[in-house]
Amino acid sequence: MSHQSCFRDLFRTAAAVAVFLGLFSASARADWQDDIGTFRIGVVAEPGAGNSVPGLSVLTKAYSMALGMKVEFLVAPDYATLIEAQTAGRVEYAIYSALAYAAAAERCDCIEPLAAPTDSDGAIGFRSILVTRDGKVPSLQAMGSHRIAVGAPGSIAGWLLPLAELASQLPSVPGEGQILEHAPSASAAETMLIEGKVDAVFGWSPSGEDNLEALTAGTVARLREAGVAEGSLQVVWKSGLLRYGPHAVMKTLDPEAKRRLGVFLTNLKQQTPETYDLLEPRHSGGFVAVKHSDYTVAAKLLGRISRNGDEGENDKPEP
């Protein structure tokens, strides 16, 4: 047999194998799509929006193209309903706040986070911080002899997160005239510091990887804007990072579906910014991949809320 004939036979064999593998791969992809039938995505409606979501038809088409299959959205009135739907297997994919994801993961070890949004300044979440002025509160240990402004009982950064992480160091919940002064809002707490009515305030700071602080927002930035000299402000303490809420899928979802969704989300900001803005109107920096361990602080915070019966802002990912 000539060398030319050998090469022809080898080429034909390789081509036949390639065709077989391609058909096998296509069949495997079709299997998971056929098994699911319709891919169901759960979201929570904005307050007062009923069961409508802005741009729902655009989002449905975008997810359908990414997965190569029919997609439907379930619009839930609240996170409790959404958690019930996903843990019961009625939706394959859900968009959560950090606390809602922690609650869902605690209820059922059947979901995993896929991706979460970031801010344009690099922030991936926020921390609670204790801010003092002119060094009046030099350390946490010195808190007992100073007046501290804290947020309303439902404030995450201003009350619940410090309570969760500093339970052994914070004074007990105060009454009138004691060490801690509850303020009705973050701005009211900041005003108390500005006017000298307190020596420190629990606030918040957007944060990125490696504790990198984003200075375009947060308590320190707001105090600067109010006229307080930056050099007079000191951050006495920072909590762990509370990540922005994730998009989570069922662990049993086919790996190819997870891969497609991950590629879709992490490239969406660059490829289709208009669709990204519909999907994620709060955080404009794009999606990044996340894992369950990124929500350790959220789980700790949820545990504190559950033990105390506090009504935390479970429906909001913001401080």
Side-chain angles (χ1 to χ4, degrees):
M1 182 181 295
S2 68
H3 289 301
Q4 192 171 19
S5 298
C6 287
F7 285 137
R8 277 200 301 268
D9 290 343
L10 286 172
F11 178 78
R12 288 169 182 162
T13 301
V17 170
V19 168
F20 171 77
L21 290 176
L23 290 173
F24 177 80
S25 178
S27 174
R29 286 196 297 271
D31 284 346
W32 68 262
Q33 290 165 328
D34 290 341
D35 289 343
I36 295 173
T38 298
F39 190 83
R40 297 154 299 178
I41 300 174
V43 297
V44 170
E46 291 293 326
N51 63 348
S52 64
V53 172
L56 192 60
S57 61
V58 175
L59 295 175
T60 300
K61 181 178 179 181
Y63 275 99
S64 181
M65 290 180 64
L67 288 166
M69 63 186 301
K70 183 180 178 181
V71 168
E72 289 181 355
F73 274 81
L74 166 69
V75 182
D78 51 47
Y79 280 115
T81 303
L82 181 59
I83 291 169
E84 170 63 28
Q86 188 171 37
T87 56
R90 294 196 299 274
V91 297
E92 285 80 26
Y93 177 115
I95 302 174
Y96 288 118
S97 70
L99 284 176
Y101 168 74
E106 181 182 69
R107 178 168 178 171
C108 176
D109 185 28
C110 57
I111 64 171
E112 60 183 318
L114 194 63
T118 66
D119 289 325
S120 58
D121 57 13
I124 59 175
F126 64 88
R127 302 175 192 274
S128 176
I129 58 175
L130 179 62
V131 182
T132 191
R133 188 176 182 184
D134 299 323
K136 290 182 179 179
V137 182
S139 66
L140 285 174
Q141 290 70 30
M143 283 179 57
S145 58
H146 295 272
R147 297 178 73 82
I148 311 295
V150 298
S155 168
I156 292 179
W159 180 240
L160 296 175
L161 192 49
L163 203 61
E165 296 216 340
L166 296 174
S168 63
Q169 301 175 62
L170 277 175
S172 59
V173 179
E176 183 67 28
Q178 293 187 3
I179 294 168
L180 302 181
E181 291 280 352
H182 273 290
S185 66
S187 59
E190 292 157 8
T191 298
M192 292 172 71
L193 182 65
I194 293 169
E195 295 179 349
K197 295 179 179 178
V198 296
D199 296 324
V201 58
F202 278 106
W204 63 284
S205 174
S207 291
E209 296 285 2
D210 302 321
N211 205 24
L212 176 67
E213 301 304 313
L215 299 179
T216 57
T219 301
V220 172
R222 286 159 60 99
L223 289 169
R224 287 203 321 260
E225 291 171 0
V228 180
E230 182 175 359
S232 69
L233 298 171
Q234 296 85 41
V235 176
V236 179
W237 168 83
K238 298 176 184 179
S239 75
L241 177 66
L242 186 63
R243 294 282 306 232
Y244 296 139
H247 293 217
V249 296
M250 300 296 290
K251 287 183 176 179
T252 54
L253 184 64
D254 189 274
E256 174 62 12
K258 294 178 186 178
R259 185 194 69 80
R260 291 191 184 197
L261 288 166
V263 170
F264 167 69
L265 290 173
T266 55
N267 288 287
L268 186 60
K269 174 68 177 179
Q270 181 179 3
Q271 294 182 351
T272 319
E274 299 84 0
T275 304
Y276 176 87
D277 292 340
L278 288 172
L279 184 61
E280 182 44 69
R282 291 187 180 93
H283 306 291
S284 60
F287 288 103
V288 294
V290 291
K291 55 188 180 298
H292 179 72
S293 59
D294 290 327
Y295 293 91
T296 301
V297 172
K300 182 189 297 185
L301 177 56
L302 179 70
R304 182 70 197 196
I305 291 170
S306 300
R307 287 195 301 274
N308 279 30
D310 294 307
E311 293 184 1
E313 295 176 313
N314 295 44
D315 288 357
K316 299 180 181 179
E318 307 299 342

